[in-house]
Amino acid sequence: MTAYPSLHMIIGGEKVSGGGRRTFDVVNPATGETIGALPLAEAADLDKALEVAAEGFRIWRKSTPQQRAAVLQGAARLMLERQEELARIATMEEGKPLAESRIEVLMNVGLFNFYAGEAQRLYGRELVRPTGQRSVIRHEPVGVVAAFSPWNFPIGNPGRKLGAPIAAGCAVIMKSAEETPASALGVLQCLLDAGLPPQVAQAVFGVPDEVSRHLLASPVVSKLSFTGSTVVGKQLMKLAADNMLRTTMELGGHGPVLVFDDVDVDRVLDTAVPGKFRNAGQVCVSPTRFIVQENVFEKFRDGFVERAKAVQVGDGLAEGTQMGPMANPRRPDAMERLIGGAKDAGATLHTGGERIGNQGFFYAPSVLSEIPLDAEIMNEEPFGPVALINPFKGEDEMIAETNRLPYGLAAYAWTDDVQRQRRLADEIESGMVGINSHMIGGADSPFGGVKWSGHGAEDGPEGVLACMVTKAVHEG
Ligand code: NAD
């Protein structure tokens, strides 16, 4: 039985806590009970983290590709050894079923191993010039990265925030979500135990607005990497502009799913329903707006409702749980508001639409249909266990609905018509498109959005290049 660990920050390899610092109560979302007290950074802690990170960058930018690869591979091995402990802690903090937490650890293992390879493939190029002249294009690490990550992937998000800068030769100050600190600390500890110089990566926690204002105002920081809501992302980009920081912004979405009448509806439901209720819908690439061709609308909707009713909801640590609680009390509150608003606007609620039990933050798997397009839930990311299913006539109308919103993170389309598949890949405004698949990621594939879903990518070679700047050196 894994006990929830005591909490601290990590600055220069030192565990920092106590000392009269303010604390934040970490809560188990399945029980509502407080399980830990997280120390929050004071200004002096952030200054110390900046000073150490500046030193970390001076050290790590000179590391060899092999040193970077050895640290990342070593950390991947340790994460695998510690998989069960890390997964249990993530479930205690965030609520997701243990099986999902275990997969998150494995995703990090794959990502760190991929980045270990990328660290050794950071090539530049030499241009053709007259004899006696030389022009070389080099990629250099950008510097100190301020990386802010959210609570929904307590292991995976910190893995992304740490892995790419370390592969690129940068230093990092990570502020992961205060709701899920122990998972982030566990990931960083694997890197430190694998030989990462302690100056290279720091983990701080605090009042988010205080921390981001302090760090982004410092000349030590060269890049902001943020995952979270579009609203907060826009605020942070404004702060980043003052110091002309580079940014990678991984923001919200509203996952459109186009279902055409030439597909086997059950085949779509087999992946769409588990995809929808994964992590109780608190996933930026969650399938959300189901745009269904009218001939198969009723069959699709009824099949969805039947399967949603069968989802086993419970404590993520319990055997057989398919969906855990929502991660914090803000989420069921948001569900009540958004689903209530949709019903008031004339939508039909087929199942769910209510909290479950009187402890923790459980909310029932929910299905709405025939939702007016101006209802708030059709325009704001619901980030919860609700499927929105509407009928549409044909391809043009379905594509128009897909591109209606300012978001463009992940989109999914189901059709067996090969020509239409190509048209959809061309027409859909989204950073990632799944055709007959809900799998849209992988360690080797860029993960990121367009429009209000942000810019830049994590994962893939693009994730490492996003932590680098180019320099052109021309010799006469
Ligand atoms: P939020 O927008 O306040 O916070 C989102 C994340 O950003 C949290 O981890 C938070 O700690 C962090 N944050 C907030 N203000 C910050 C600041 N000034 N500086 C640095 N970090 C800051 O709201 P929330 O209630 O945690 O989540 C609500 C919404 O956020 C969701 O509805 C969803 O749209 C979005 N969200 C997106 C992702 C994602 O993967 N893209 C993850 C979590 C939440």
Side-chain angles (χ1 to χ4, degrees), residues 148-153 157 160 175-179 206-213 216 224 226-233 235-236 239 250-253 282-285 328 330-331 334 338 380-384 407 409 447 453:
F148 304 143
S149 73
W151 39 263
N152 60 336
F153 285 86
N157 288 328
R160 282 180 165 156
K175 189 206 81 61
S176 56
E178 284 65 31
E179 284 105 333
V207 175
D209 188 54
E210 273 176 36
V211 176
S212 49
R213 279 180 196 280
L216 300 181
L224 159 68
F226 174 70
T227 301
S229 60
T230 296
V231 171
V232 174
Q235 287 167 14
L236 293 178
L239 293 179
E250 182 63 63
L251 308 177
Q282 302 162 117
V283 178
C284 55
V285 295
N328 57 58
R330 299 187 297 284
R331 298 317 313 149
L338 291 169
E380 295 296 326
E381 184 175 37
F383 223 62
Y407 298 106
L409 189 57
F447 185 98
S453 295

